């Protein structure tokens, strides 16, 4: 099987590693506008060759678009214009915009909208690792719009990556992604900004980070290129959940300020219920 | 050496494990008002015997108070009243209040104020693990108020636990702890509350958690018994940093709402600078 991966970063690169290792693909073709990333992916051995988009599409059986969402919105229609019988999927973190964009494309059935819920705070082909996806969930959206064989093929990819497949329509996906994943990133970015502003002594940040800061701020290392378009694409859902988040912080603020320890304790106990979900 | 540990939770228990394993102590005496915790600590083998406070203090060479800060404020003066030549230290996350409390105690010199910056989101003697402190920093406060031999003895404890020792006065400690550690917990508690409120479907939280939520919300599993008194004791510093945090979130909110992508991207890039400090 010939696989083309467009976007040779953490996600595309990590897919390449395990799809090759687990013998799902024989040959991987890479496409990336960023020459440094493209050459790195080739020299690390993530891909077997680099091609221009048109050639890469022609040579492929399956095409994975693993760029940030703004890039994918430009690339996907182009790729759909080029394909014959190839199957196309993407890995973008927001889905409703893309869904609208290609809804009436004559090749829509050959496209399967996907979002593997995995990542690290690192980016670029250097960040690609084996096992990134193991045991995690991947969301496939609006699969009724795709050919049944295309869906089956994309499922085989995620089976090979040891992912659980969850089905959702793209607008539900965007709501839930905002509620669970996107707000976590905002919370981390704002935390990093706060600490960098308040704490002028970097040595103190380093010394005190193991008191919890390190894990809460991990996501603040995530790339602006990936996250700016996500916040843009999923604006309405993100604003709603951000308002609730600011409300909750103001609740804590009010009770701490008024020395209402019991109410602070109640809020903490209520938040502890997240254990039940995540353990 | 006989060591008494008052408060047999994650911190006290993890100290017991490594101080014994690394042959710093011969005999560990445990004290805990919570009978379930005390008996668990004995049956797991964290401590060799359980005693009442007075007897435990009498038998000890060194006493570590590893309870939440509200308990420690009651226990420390009592312990100082009881000791002869013993050395006393604590592990509390806020230091200025305790400092004020025992400032003029005749045995003040035998007390060394400490705060090992380590922990997990779990609590209780069951959560105690070996290696918890390895490679992290511990803060010793106001050491000029302590006898030089008492400080040396407490340093040996933290050397045995493989911790870097950092010196600070207690009010600086509280400022920096609020700026780096306490705000992270608030941010996580509020995040858990938000997601539990917005996302009614727990299966979706579970599926989407690997998109970053899991690491940002880890601290929201932390105990109310420990954190309520911290927020109470360090109120002023926490309110200051919380206000900055809410400001930063509002900055993101404003720019996302107005589609000012470049400004969103600038904020993310600014927050990315945390990498420089933590990597």
């Amino acid at each position: 099987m010939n696989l083309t991966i467009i976007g040779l970063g953490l996600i595309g690169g990590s897919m390449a590693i395990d799809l090759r290792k687990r013998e799902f693909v024989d040959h991987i073709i890479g496409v990336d506008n960023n020459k440094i990333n493209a050459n790195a992916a080739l020299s690390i051995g993530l891909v077997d060759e680099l091609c221009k988009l048109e050639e890469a599409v022609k040579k492929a059986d399956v095409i994975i678009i693993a760029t940030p969402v703004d890039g994918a919105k430009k690339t996907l229609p182009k790729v759909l214009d080029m394909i014959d019988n190839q199957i196309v999927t993407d890995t973008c973190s927001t889905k409703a915009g893309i869904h609208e964009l290609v809804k009436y494309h004559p090749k829509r059935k050959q496209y399967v909208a996907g979002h593997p819920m995995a990542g690290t705070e690192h980016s670029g082909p250097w960040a690609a690792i084996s096992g990134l996806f193991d045991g995690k969930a991947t969301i496939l959206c609006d699969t009724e719009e795709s050919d049944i064989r295309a869906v089956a093929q994309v499922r085989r990819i995620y089976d090979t990556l040891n992912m659980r497949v969850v089905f959702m329509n793209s607008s539900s996906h965007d709501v839930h992604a905002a509620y669970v994943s996107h707000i976590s990133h905002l919370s981390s970015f704002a935390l990093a900004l706060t600490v960098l502003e308040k704490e002028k002594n970097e040595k103190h940040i380093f010394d005190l980070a193991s008191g919890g800061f390190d894990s809460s701020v991990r996501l603040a290392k995530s790339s602006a290129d990936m996250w700016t378009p996500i916040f843009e694409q999923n604006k309405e859902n993100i604003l709603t959940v951000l308002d609730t988040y600011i409300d909750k912080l103001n609740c804590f603020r009010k009770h701490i300020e008024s020395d209402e320890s019991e109410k602070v304790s109640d809020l903490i106990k209520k938040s502890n219920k997240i254990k039940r979900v995540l353990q």
Side-chain angles (χ1 to χ4, degrees), chain A:
Chain A
M1 228 256 309
N2 282 346
L3 174 68
T4 284
I5 300 179
I6 303 169
L8 301 169
L10 168 70
I11 297 295
S14 299
M15 287 179 135
I17 291 173
D18 282 339
L19 291 176
R20 183 196 302 279
K21 213 163 140 184
R22 296 170 189 175
E23 300 181 1
F24 187 81
V25 292
D26 309 305
H27 188 77
I28 305 180
I29 304 144
V31 182
D32 201 311
N33 286 336
N34 179 323
K35 281 205 176 154
I36 297 174
N37 281 20
N39 289 327
L42 185 64
S43 70
I44 297 168
L46 297 179
V47 298
D48 299 298
E49 58 170 324
L50 298 170
C51 290
K52 296 247 154 130
L53 184 64
E54 194 154 1
E55 194 190 344
V57 168
K58 207 168 275 173
K59 283 183 175 175
D61 299 300
V62 173
I63 298 142
I64 300 176
I65 301 175
T67 63
V69 62
D70 51 342
K73 285 182 83 175
K74 288 175 198 144
T75 307
L76 178 62
K78 275 193 217 164
V79 170
L80 289 180
D81 290 344
M82 290 172 189
I83 54 173
D84 297 313
N85 301 311
Q86 296 94 316
I87 288 164
V88 187
T89 187
D90 74 319
T91 63
C92 293
S93 309
T94 59
K95 306 259 62 123
I98 288 195
H99 173 70
E100 282 306 310
L101 191 70
V102 297
K103 212 169 167 180
Y104 302 112
H105 195 285
K107 298 285 174 67
R108 172 66 182 84
K109 285 202 156 313
Q110 286 165 250
Y111 162 62
V112 181
H115 180 200
M117 298 298 302
T120 71
E121 66 277 29
H122 307 297
S123 47
W126 313 272
I129 48 173
S130 175
L132 178 66
F133 305 100
D134 289 349
K136 295 176 186 153
T138 193
I139 322 288
L140 298 188
C141 291
D142 312 309
T143 46
E144 67 287 355
E145 307 287 329
S146 307
D147 186 273
I148 200 166
R149 284 159 306 179
V151 176
Q153 179 70 296
V154 172
R155 284 201 74 156
R156 278 191 291 275
I157 291 176
Y158 287 116
D159 285 346
T160 307
L161 296 174
N162 291 331
M163 298 195 91
R164 288 177 295 116
V165 178
V166 177
F167 297 92
M168 235 181 251
N169 67 50
S170 48
S171 48
S172 298
H173 168 278
D174 285 6
V175 171
H176 297 302
Y179 286 5
V180 183
S181 159
H182 304 168
I183 185 65
S184 310
H185 284 78
L186 273 176
S187 127
S188 255
F189 289 132
L191 186 63
L193 288 174
T194 303
V195 172
L196 290 167
E197 179 174 309
K198 298 302 279 184
E199 182 58 272
K200 300 296 175 202
N201 186 330
E202 291 190 1
K203 178 80 172 70
H204 288 153
I205 302 180
F206 182 79
D207 284 336
L208 300 169
S210 55
F213 179 64
D214 44 2
S215 83
S216 310
V217 89
R218 187 177 68 81
L219 301 178
K221 301 174 188 171
S222 305
S223 94
D225 288 347
M226 172 166 176
W227 283 94
T228 308
I230 292 176
F231 296 149
E232 195 179 76
Q233 295 290 320
N234 205 13
K235 174 174 155 177
E236 295 310 326
N237 293 318
I238 284 169
L239 291 179
T240 308
V241 67
L242 188 51
D243 286 340
T244 307
Y245 185 53
I246 294 170
D247 274 358
K248 298 295 170 196
L249 289 165
N250 278 319
C251 262
F252 270 107
R253 199 200 180 291
K254 190 181 75 191
H255 296 319
I256 291 171
E257 189 172 35
S258 331
D259 296 312
E260 296 168 311
S261 294
E262 215 152 298
K263 287 187 179 161
V264 172
S265 174
D266 285 346
L267 284 177
I268 296 178
K269 282 177 189 157
K270 229 167 140 187
S271 86
N272 286 164
K273 288 191 182 138
I274 203 69
K275 275 193 223 178
R276 195 183 57 197
V277 185
L278 294 186
Q279 269 175 350

